[in-house]
């Protein structure tokens, strides 16, 4: 497609900036800047399409792009054209990760960048120190023989070393690659081999042991670095973090600078591997521009303030959401990233939040659900008077939240008092008293959870995107959100609803500079994801309302197609049951190619020290049982005795959901309680708690077969 061709929009509806303003930016190609791509450009203030002044300034530096012929690539060292717009955010000059980092360091070098707790004391790295550590790591990677466009794999929990290894790899001309800590040795081997990892950076002996099991099968591997603790045994080409950081001391600055200056914004610098639930994991190739532009656009969209933001890093950095939120947006706006403890999701996150008091917080739905459960448990143990005041305040809080969402300026009567007595205290107890915005993403969240926090005057803003869109594609913010909507398209990007039905539902497609380069070494899968006009097909179903808010209505691959040929989106049915029956933890609808629908159900249970589900019911479920006249404290007791009261409660919930079904085919006819809850370690959930349906189908095939054999 030539630079001035327009985007085909047959059988679709488009939301976002006018596609007629789009152009592809390449060396020697058509562009809208007054300078040639390799000339120096000075820029002042970033403007949105409404020409409002933003808090995030543009960079000052060179626009340098490598020669490119296509908008996509599956080869690690092949550059791509950029999806440039003629005006607005989409026309922002491209820059490399180093250019973005340097701009922040030059202006905010003495400001705090990374904070981590060591021996009960918070230790801080400034941006100057962060940059110097990253350069030192880059030199050490060069010394270890990191080849251009080969990878450094990072396997461990979030830490300053994780960031420094990632950025250092990029500065040294490599492809930074996160590897999930839950991966088996075989899964680690696949990723390390596919990305041609020359160096693997691991957290501790546990992760090192995994790599040592497959080390002989990693043909590109030259060295391993352990960034926490001492080595339990000295091995060839295995280094502690301290040893690693000294390796490159004699590498000349000029040599590193030459390597940095050779990099172009339209070249790959990062790989994000998908979880591989439907086959081998795919390496999502992200360019410098993917990262730097998305960080700028997202920060502008939600009106982040330079050098005033702080986040807590605890979600897996191998996942694009955490990486963009914790690393790149923070770097772009000179924000502070404070690291949680490794057991954050096992209970310590609350303590970290109360200590750090972040200005924004991103939680996957399960994190918000756990907070909700814990707060309800505390509420039940409060005095009668406190419960009366809390219930009164929640009614006011919910109304106030809806007023704010709908643009109604007036607050309900009693709001000020409710804020003083309840809301301020809740925010402080959660560590969210400085938090200007709370977000959720990576998986569907229930209306019940959203309204619970709205009743405490803590609106949770939904985000939507994927690894292939460098994280966010749509975002919600204080002045632009609707409950159960994932917001509006990122400024400078576009959404196409492909082949919409009578209700406006169709496949959600993306266009913009956040769209990935392609899947590493997978041309066929790349062609399946990007159509002939380079729109990214998400595989998700959705529609826009009259105000252009996007609502996700299902996922094409998750659609259950019954024996009668009717399409059934499972998530709305699953969420409806979870909202109706509070003791249910997870639900999965089944019935593909079957005559009727069935359900797999799990009960809420406690987790052990490793975060694995136990047989012990949560206190809330035990209390529910007692209220039903049932003496049970374990999941197995409920199942073995097939406790009538508990089974009746679940059946009544299913009956309620069935009563609202749009057709008889969408009614659930059979169900069973599974003996164990879903978990990451068990394989049923991904790193962000997203349900892995193919895995669950395979694991519980026997139970599913029973539904249809009786």
């Amino acid at each position: 497609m030539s630079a001035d061709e327009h985007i085909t929009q047959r059988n679709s509806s488009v939301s976002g900036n006018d596609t007629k303003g789009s152009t592809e930016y390449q060396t020697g190609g058509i562009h809208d800047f007054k300078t040639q791509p390799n000339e120096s450009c000075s820029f002042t203030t970033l403007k949105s399409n409404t020409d409002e002044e933003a808090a995030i300034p543009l960079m000052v530096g060179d626009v340098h792009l490598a020669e490119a012929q296509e908008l996509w690539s599956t080869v690690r060292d092949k550059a791509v054209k950029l999806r440039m717009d003629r005006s607005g955010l989409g026309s922002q000059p491209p820059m490399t990760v180093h250019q973005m980092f340097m701009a922040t360091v030059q202006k905010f070098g003495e400001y705090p960048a990374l904070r981590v707790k060591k021996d009960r004391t918070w230790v801080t790295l400034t941006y100057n120190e962060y940059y110097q550590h990253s350069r030192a790591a880059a030199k050490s990677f060069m010394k270890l023989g990191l080849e251009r466009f080969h990878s450094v794999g990072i396997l461990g929990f979030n830490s300053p070393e994780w960031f420094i290894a990632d950025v250092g790899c990029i500065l040294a001309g490599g492809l930074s690659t996160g590897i999930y800590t839950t991966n088996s040795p075989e899964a680690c081997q696949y990723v390390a081999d596919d990305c041609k990892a020359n160096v693997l950076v691991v957290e501790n002996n546990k992760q090192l042991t995994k790599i040592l099991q497959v080390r002989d099968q990693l043909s590109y591997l030259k060295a391993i670095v352990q960034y926490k603790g001492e080595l339990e045994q000295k091995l060839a080409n295995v280094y502690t973090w301290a040893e690693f950081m000294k390796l490159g001391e004699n590498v000349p600055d000029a040599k590193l600078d030459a390597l940095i200056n050779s990099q172009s914004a339209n070249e790959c610098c990062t790989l994000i591997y998908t979880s591989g639930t439907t086959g081998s994991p795919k390496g999502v190739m992200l360019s410098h521009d993917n990262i730097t532009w998305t960080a700028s656009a997202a920060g502008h969209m939600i009106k982040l303030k330079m050098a005033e933001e702080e986040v807590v890093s605890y979600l897996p950095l191998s996942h694009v959401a955490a990486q963009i939120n914790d690393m790149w947006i923070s770097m772009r706006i000179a924000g502070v990233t404070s690291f949680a403890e490794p057991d954050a999701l096992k209970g310590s996150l609350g303590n970290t939040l109360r200590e750090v008091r972040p200005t924004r917080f991103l939680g996957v739905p399960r994190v918000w659900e756990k907070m909700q459960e814990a707060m309800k448990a505390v509420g039940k143990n409060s005095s009668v008077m406190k419960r009366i005041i809390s219930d009164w305040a929640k009614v006011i809080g919910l109304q106030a939240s809806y007023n704010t969402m709908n643009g109604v300026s007036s607050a309900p009567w009693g709001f000020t008092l409710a804020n003083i007595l309840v809301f301020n205290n809740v925010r402080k107890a959660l560590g969210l008293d400085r938090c200007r915005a709370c977000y959720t993403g990576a998986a569907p969240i229930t209306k019940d959870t959203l309204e619970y926090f709205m009743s405490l005057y803590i609106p949770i803003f939904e985000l939507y995107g994927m690894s292939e869109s460098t994280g966010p594609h749509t975002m919600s913010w204080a002045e632009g959100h609707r409950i159960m909507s994932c917001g509006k398209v990122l400024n400078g990007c576009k959404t196409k609803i492909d082949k919409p039905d009578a209700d406006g539902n169709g496949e959600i497609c993306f266009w913009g500079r956040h769209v990935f380069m392609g899947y590493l070494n997978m041309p066929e899968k790349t062609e399946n994801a990007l159509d002939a006009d380079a729109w990214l097909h998400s595989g998700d179903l959705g529609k826009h309302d009259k105000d252009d808010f996007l609502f996700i209505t299902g996922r094409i691959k998750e659609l259950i197609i019954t024996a009668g040929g009717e399409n059934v989106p499972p998530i709305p049915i699953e969420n409806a049951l979870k909202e109706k029956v509070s003791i249910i933890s997870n639900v999965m609808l089944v019935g593909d190619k079957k005559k009727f629908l069935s359900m797999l159900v799990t009960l809420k249970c406690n987790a052990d020290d490793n975060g694995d589900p136990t047989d012990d019911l949560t206190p809330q479920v035990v209390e529910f049982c007692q209220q039903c006249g049932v003496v049970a404290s374990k999941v197995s007791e409920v199942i073995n005795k097939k406790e009538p009261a508990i089974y009746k409660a679940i059946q009544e919930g299913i009956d309620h959901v069935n009563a609202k079904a749009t057709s008889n085919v969408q009614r659930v006819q059979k169900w069973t309680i599974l003996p164990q809850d879903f978990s990451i370690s068990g394989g049923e959930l991904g790193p962000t708690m997203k349900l892995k349906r193919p895995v669950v189908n395979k694991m519980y095939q026997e139970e599913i077969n029973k539904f249809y054999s009786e």
Side-chain angles (χ1 to χ4, degrees):
M1 184 171 62
S2 66
D4 55 354
E5 284 180 334
H6 295 180
I7 306 302
T8 303
Q9 299 176 34
R10 297 189 185 96
N11 299 320
S12 64
S13 59
V14 178
S15 174
N17 298 332
D18 186 358
T19 53
K20 293 180 180 178
S22 298
T23 184
E24 297 151 17
Y25 193 105
Q26 65 181 81
T27 304
I30 296 174
H31 55 87
D32 294 307
F33 304 133
K34 295 179 180 179
T35 56
Q36 292 300 314
N38 292 317
E39 291 180 309
S40 180
C41 303
S42 293
F43 310 104
T44 53
T45 303
L46 180 60
K47 303 278 187 176
S48 70
N49 291 339
T50 56
D51 209 36
E52 293 177 353
E53 192 168 296
I56 303 176
L58 282 173
M59 299 293 110
V60 176
D62 294 330
V63 178
H64 177 72
L65 294 175
E67 290 282 352
Q69 304 300 320
E70 304 289 345
L71 284 164
W72 57 83
S73 170
T74 60
V75 181
R76 64 186 63 243
D77 59 353
K78 184 179 178 182
V80 296
K81 294 180 183 179
L82 302 181
R83 295 165 169 81
M84 300 289 294
D85 280 340
R86 298 182 185 279
S87 61
L89 281 171
S91 67
Q92 181 179 348
M95 56 183 167
T96 63
V97 165
H98 181 263
Q99 286 175 315
M100 180 173 75
F101 200 177
M102 272 302 297
T104 299
V105 169
Q106 287 170 358
K107 191 170 182 180
F108 301 101
E110 295 304 319
Y111 282 64
L114 309 178
R115 296 177 70 237
V116 66
K117 205 170 187 181
K118 293 185 177 179
D119 298 324
R120 300 184 179 182
T121 302
W122 285 98
V123 179
T124 301
L125 285 181
T126 65
Y127 270 96
N128 280 332
E129 292 168 329
Y130 180 14
Y131 179 69
Q132 291 304 323
H133 280 302
S134 298
R135 284 184 64 92
K139 290 181 180 181
S140 293
F141 284 134
M142 293 166 67
K143 188 74 174 179
L144 288 173
L146 175 62
E147 300 173 54
R148 189 79 167 94
F149 296 110
H150 283 230
S151 290
V152 170
I154 312 174
L155 176 62
F157 186 73
N158 312 21
S159 68
E161 293 87 355
W162 211 110
F163 278 37
I164 290 163
D166 189 286
V167 177
C169 166
I170 293 173
L171 299 188
L175 308 182
S176 60
T177 306
I179 302 175
Y180 287 113
T181 58
T182 53
N183 274 11
S184 65
E186 294 73 23
C188 292
Q189 176 199 338
Y190 174 85
V191 172
D193 202 50
D194 189 63
C195 71
K196 294 185 178 179
N198 290 151
V199 183
L200 288 174
V201 178
V202 301
E203 178 182 4
N204 49 28
N205 185 67
K206 177 183 177 181
Q207 302 298 347
L208 175 61
T209 301
K210 286 184 189 177
I211 301 304
L212 293 178
Q213 289 180 44
V214 296
R215 183 180 187 179
D216 293 343
Q217 301 168 56
L218 298 174
S219 54
Y220 303 99
L221 187 63
K222 300 178 180 181
I224 305 171
V225 180
Q226 181 177 307
Y227 66 80
K228 276 190 180 179
E230 295 299 319
L231 297 173
E232 293 191 4
Q233 57 178 319
K234 187 60 182 175
L235 299 167
N237 300 318
V238 180
Y239 304 89
T240 65
W241 184 257
E243 291 170 341
F244 163 72
M245 290 295 280
K246 291 179 180 179
L247 286 175
E249 287 179 343
N250 295 326
V251 174
D253 282 326
K255 188 174 181 181
L256 174 58
D257 290 335
L259 195 51
I260 290 171
N261 293 332
S262 72
Q263 297 172 21
S264 299
N266 58 338
E267 292 175 327
C268 186
C269 70
T270 293
L271 295 172
I272 302 287
Y273 274 84
T274 62
S275 58
T277 55
T278 57
S280 299
K282 300 186 289 290
V284 175
M285 297 169 61
L286 299 181
S287 68
H288 289 265
D289 186 68
N290 282 148
I291 289 171
T292 58
W293 185 86
T294 303
S296 296
H300 179 268
M301 181 93 167
I302 56 180
K303 301 179 181 178
L304 298 180
K305 299 179 179 180
M306 292 296 294
E308 292 186 20
E309 304 287 345
E310 185 162 2
V311 298
V312 171
S313 181
Y314 71 100
L315 293 172
L317 287 167
S318 306
H319 193 276
V320 72
Q323 204 170 116
I324 286 292
N325 183 68
D326 302 356
M327 287 184 64
W328 304 122
I329 292 179
S330 288
M331 180 185 287
R332 180 66 177 90
I333 63 171
V336 183
T337 299
S338 296
F339 294 94
E341 301 288 343
D343 61 350
L345 292 175
K346 300 172 189 175
S348 70
L349 178 60
N351 293 331
T352 303
L353 289 175
R354 283 185 286 273
E355 289 186 51
V356 174
R357 300 169 59 228
T359 61
R360 71 181 194 277
F361 177 68
L362 171 64
V364 295
R366 189 60 186 138
V367 169
W368 291 112
E369 289 168 6
K370 285 188 173 183
M371 282 189 184
Q372 179 184 5
E373 291 165 9
M375 292 166 72
K376 283 185 173 181
V378 170
K380 286 180 180 179
N381 294 324
S382 300
S383 66
V384 174
M385 182 55 68
K386 281 188 176 180
R387 289 202 299 270
I388 291 172
I389 293 173
S390 176
D391 291 343
W392 163 79
K394 286 178 182 177
V395 173
I396 292 173
L398 185 60
Q399 184 58 57
S401 292
Y402 269 110
N403 284 358
T404 301
M405 184 184 78
N406 294 321
V408 178
S409 57
S410 60
W413 182 89
F415 175 78
T416 301
L417 182 59
N419 199 35
I420 294 171
L421 294 177
V422 179
F423 307 148
N424 286 342
N425 292 328
V426 169
R427 284 191 288 268
K428 187 175 181 180
L430 293 174
L432 301 177
D433 52 310
R434 284 202 309 153
C435 204
R436 292 189 282 266
C438 296
Y439 299 97
T440 185
I445 191 168
T446 65
K447 186 177 181 181
D448 175 69
T449 297
L450 292 175
E451 287 196 328
Y452 178 80
F453 283 95
M454 287 172 71
S455 74
L456 297 168
Y457 206 60
I458 303 176
I460 300 174
F461 305 129
E462 288 196 67
L463 312 172
Y464 166 67
M466 51 200 302
S467 300
E468 292 85 345
S469 64
T470 324
H473 176 68
T474 64
M475 305 183 75
S476 304
W477 68 102
E479 294 80 21
H481 72 109
R482 295 287 184 273
I483 191 167
M484 300 307 292
S485 164
C486 50
K488 292 190 175 184
V489 65
L490 199 64
N491 288 338
C493 302
K494 304 165 190 70
T495 302
K496 175 175 71 172
I497 304 299
D498 194 40
K499 300 175 182 176
D501 62 18
D503 296 323
N505 284 296
E507 184 180 11
I508 303 167
C509 301
F510 305 170
W511 174 273
R513 282 168 63 179
H514 62 331
V515 172
F516 77 139
M517 301 174 70
Y519 295 120
L520 180 65
N521 303 325
M522 292 184 174
E524 185 176 338
K525 290 188 181 295
T526 301
E527 289 177 10
N528 289 337
L530 297 169
D531 64 24
D533 296 316
W535 283 87
L536 170 62
H537 286 247
S538 69
D540 292 316
L541 296 171
K543 63 180 180 180
H544 288 109
D545 69 5
K546 60 182 179 61
D547 298 314
D548 263 350
F549 285 97
L550 182 65
F551 291 79
I552 309 299
T553 56
R555 181 158 179 79
I556 294 173
K557 290 181 180 178
E558 291 181 350
L559 280 178
I560 293 172
I561 304 176
T562 65
E566 182 164 344
N567 291 349
V568 179
I571 291 174
I573 298 173
E574 293 163 352
N575 284 347
L577 181 60
K578 288 170 68 175
E579 288 181 14
K580 190 65 181 174
V581 186
S582 61
I583 62 173
I584 289 178
S585 177
N586 283 290
V587 178
M588 195 178 97
L589 194 69
V590 297
D592 196 53
K593 300 181 178 66
K594 305 296 183 182
K595 293 181 179 180
F596 58 86
L597 301 179
S598 302
M599 267 186 176
L600 301 174
V601 175
T602 70
L603 300 179
K604 291 178 179 176
C605 61
N606 295 323
D608 61 20
D609 292 339
N610 295 318
D612 298 331
T614 67
D615 191 36
D616 297 327
L617 297 168
T618 63
Q620 298 93 323
V621 180
V622 172
E623 182 181 354
F624 183 93
C625 290
Q626 291 172 349
Q627 291 172 353
C628 295
V630 175
V631 180
S633 60
K634 298 182 180 297
V635 177
S636 57
E637 292 173 353
V638 173
I639 296 175
N640 292 339
K641 296 178 183 178
K642 207 166 186 179
E643 292 289 355
I646 304 304
Y647 278 74
K648 180 183 178 184
I650 296 174
Q651 185 60 57
E652 287 176 348
I654 291 175
D655 291 342
H656 176 84
V657 173
N658 284 343
K660 295 188 175 183
T662 55
S663 70
N664 287 332
V665 177
Q666 297 199 15
R667 297 187 179 200
V668 178
Q669 295 192 28
K670 293 185 179 182
W671 56 275
T672 190
I673 301 176
L674 298 177
Q676 186 169 287
D677 196 7
F678 298 160
S679 65
I680 296 174
S681 58
E684 301 98 335
L685 303 178
T688 57
M689 310 289 189
K690 193 171 184 178
L691 184 61
K692 293 184 175 181
R693 294 178 189 274
V695 173
V696 175
N697 270 314
K698 186 175 181 180
M699 288 177 64
Y700 296 100
Q701 190 61 56
E702 185 177 342
E703 286 81 355
I704 294 171
N705 288 339
K706 287 180 182 178
F707 292 142
Y708 304 100
S709 61
E710 296 174 356

